[in-house]
Amino acid sequence: MTKGHYLQVVGYMSLCIVLLLVSPIRPVAELQPILRVPQDFSTIQAAVDAAPEGATILIGPGTYIESITIAKSLTLEGSGIDNTILRSPVPPLENPVLTVQAPGRAVTLRVRQLAVRSSAQAYQGYEGIGIQVLTEASLVLEQTA
């Protein structure tokens, strides 16, 4: 290797090191999109439908009456189990609040800081369905009722 070629290689390496040092390094979690209900979407299902794989959906305080179907890995995060409540619509009483269904692939659903309640819980001992998993899935519940 000639002296000129050596200096050129050292120069490129120095530039690479400087770029690595001055470039902001963000954690992977920050790279995942965040969608907000009700600020960005009026319903949780609309946010789920629009969310890319791995996104986080932040759900503001309130009671949301929906049957939500999830077919991709997501995080649903509320504002606390006393502040964010998901309920199934009635009738029929058999409607689950959350259904995880992604045929042919595994998904991970993270549910944090919210309460998932079947509206049927108020009816004469009928338990109802809070979360129904119809596919291979990992379900992670954190501070969830």
Side-chain angles (χ1 to χ4, degrees):
M1 178 175 353
T2 67
K3 183 176 181 181
H5 188 257
Y6 174 76
L7 291 175
Q8 188 178 16
V9 170
V10 170
Y12 284 130
M13 288 177 56
S14 299
L15 178 62
C16 289
I17 291 170
V18 168
L19 289 175
L20 283 173
L21 292 175
V22 298
S23 297
I25 298 173
R26 298 187 308 176
V28 173
E30 285 184 22
L31 300 176
Q32 297 298 335
I34 296 176
L35 294 84
R36 290 174 173 79
V37 176
Q39 297 88 336
D40 301 332
F41 297 89
S42 60
T43 66
I44 299 166
Q45 186 66 63
V48 166
D49 293 344
E53 187 82 21
T56 296
I57 299 172
L58 298 178
I59 306 165
T63 299
Y64 298 84
I65 301 174
E66 298 184 52
S67 280
I68 303 157
T69 300
I70 299 171
K72 55 189 134 185
S73 294
L74 293 173
T75 297
L76 300 179
E77 185 168 336
S79 301
I81 60 174
D82 294 327
N83 299 320
T84 306
I85 300 167
L86 309 184
R87 285 191 186 273
S88 65
V90 288
L93 298 179
E94 294 82 21
N95 277 348
V97 180
L98 297 173
T99 300
V100 180
Q101 184 174 17
R105 63 191 204 106
V107 298
T108 298
L109 174 63
R110 289 178 173 80
V111 181
R112 294 183 185 134
Q113 298 188 27
L114 55 87
V116 178
R117 297 187 181 138
S118 170
S119 294
Q121 290 171 335
Y123 297 94
Q124 300 179 1
Y126 180 76
E127 291 296 324
I129 302 169
I131 301 174
Q132 181 178 39
V133 179
L134 300 175
T135 189
E136 185 178 332
S138 296
L139 188 58
V140 181
L141 304 174
E142 299 173 3
Q143 298 176 348
T144 298

